[in-house]
Amino acid sequence: SPTSVMPRREITSYSNPTIKALRSLREKKHRQRERRFLAEGLRLLTDARECGRLPETLVMAEKRAPHPLLDALERAVEAAGGEIIETTPDILSKITGKDNPQAVAGAFAEWDTRLEGLDRSAAPIWLVAQALRDPGNLGTMLRTGDAVGAGGLILIDDCADPFGVEAVRASMGAIFTQNLARARWEDFLPWLRQGQGQLVAASLRQAVP
């Protein structure tokens, strides 16, 4: 983490480069280039903080209602040397793409999603999805994994971006509580067979359950 705390900034211009950079994170190509993603809402950002993940940039609407969780989030971001920006609700809505935005949003650094980074012994069950294209369904799987105590979600082959705005929203914070990995099938299968465990699969391709 940076050793010095960055000053809080007020931004009221739509054309400000920082605002433009934050808005661009709604697009996959810019997320992949910057390796950062957006999350919004005090509850979701609090879940992230409680999991040890803090936004590099915290954006708050001016004249927002005070809240102790927001105070705790601000203190944590400041202590970590993160950037805090205050802006208008209209500009915040442009950043998040929502007409009625939450009072706070954050830009987070993506983390390592390589299969090799998973500790398969950390949980008794892991969820795996192959070619999962719907970001809402991806978020639902993350929430389900959180609910049943799974270790995380492994995405195989070409899936929706788990760091996309829609998937992050649909996860309702589980993006931070669940481990994530991405792999090709030809890499996943040898990894699966390296240790103990049973693979249970479901498919929509046949009529028989």
Side-chain angles (χ1 to χ4, degrees):
S1 300
T3 55
S4 60
V5 175
M6 297 183 68
R8 183 173 305 203
R9 289 199 289 159
E10 280 190 43
I11 299 178
T12 57
S13 169
Y14 290 96
S15 60
N16 181 279
T18 299
I19 300 301
K20 287 183 175 181
L22 290 169
R23 287 181 63 188
S24 73
L25 296 179
R26 297 212 313 267
E27 299 180 32
K28 185 175 182 179
K29 64 179 180 180
H30 294 296
R31 282 196 305 277
Q32 290 179 333
R33 184 190 67 216
E34 300 293 332
R35 294 195 57 79
R36 302 172 84 207
F37 70 98
L38 286 172
E40 61 186 292
L42 181 57
R43 181 67 260 174
L44 198 151
L45 267 64
T46 296
D47 287 343
R49 176 177 62 81
E50 291 175 348
C51 292
R53 298 194 187 276
L54 293 169
E56 294 179 335
T57 303
L58 180 67
V59 187
M60 301 183 297
E62 60 189 9
K63 300 178 182 177
R64 63 200 171 275
H67 197 287
L69 288 178
L70 183 56
D71 294 340
L73 182 61
E74 287 185 71
R75 288 194 300 269
V77 172
E78 286 178 348
E83 180 181 30
I84 297 181
I85 293 171
E86 287 189 317
T87 191
T88 66
D90 283 346
I91 291 179
L92 190 53
S93 73
K94 294 292 185 185
I95 292 172
T96 63
K98 288 185 71 175
D99 291 335
N100 297 302
Q102 304 269 358
V104 61
F108 290 79
E110 292 187 8
W111 46 85
D112 185 8
T113 58
R114 289 176 299 172
L115 194 59
E116 297 78 16
L118 289 185
D119 176 9
R120 63 191 293 165
S121 65
I125 185 171
W126 295 79
L127 301 184
V128 182
Q130 184 181 32
L132 179 64
R133 302 298 177 86
D134 187 292
N137 289 343
L138 197 160
T140 298
M141 288 198 71
L142 287 168
R143 296 201 316 271
T144 301
D146 182 83
V148 303
L153 175 62
I154 302 170
L155 299 172
I156 306 296
D157 295 335
D158 296 324
C159 291
D161 183 0
F163 297 114
V165 174
E166 296 86 356
V168 172
R169 282 178 185 155
S171 80
M172 297 179 68
I175 184 77
F176 298 109
T177 66
Q178 292 286 283
N179 288 297
L180 262 177
R182 292 184 276 197
R184 308 301 297 182
W185 177 257
E186 56 267 26
D187 299 316
F188 169 71
L189 204 54
W191 177 87
L192 177 71
R193 290 172 173 167
Q194 283 173 4
Q196 293 183 338
Q198 179 184 22
L199 178 63
V200 180
S203 173
L204 297 176
R205 294 179 183 174
Q206 301 295 332
V208 180

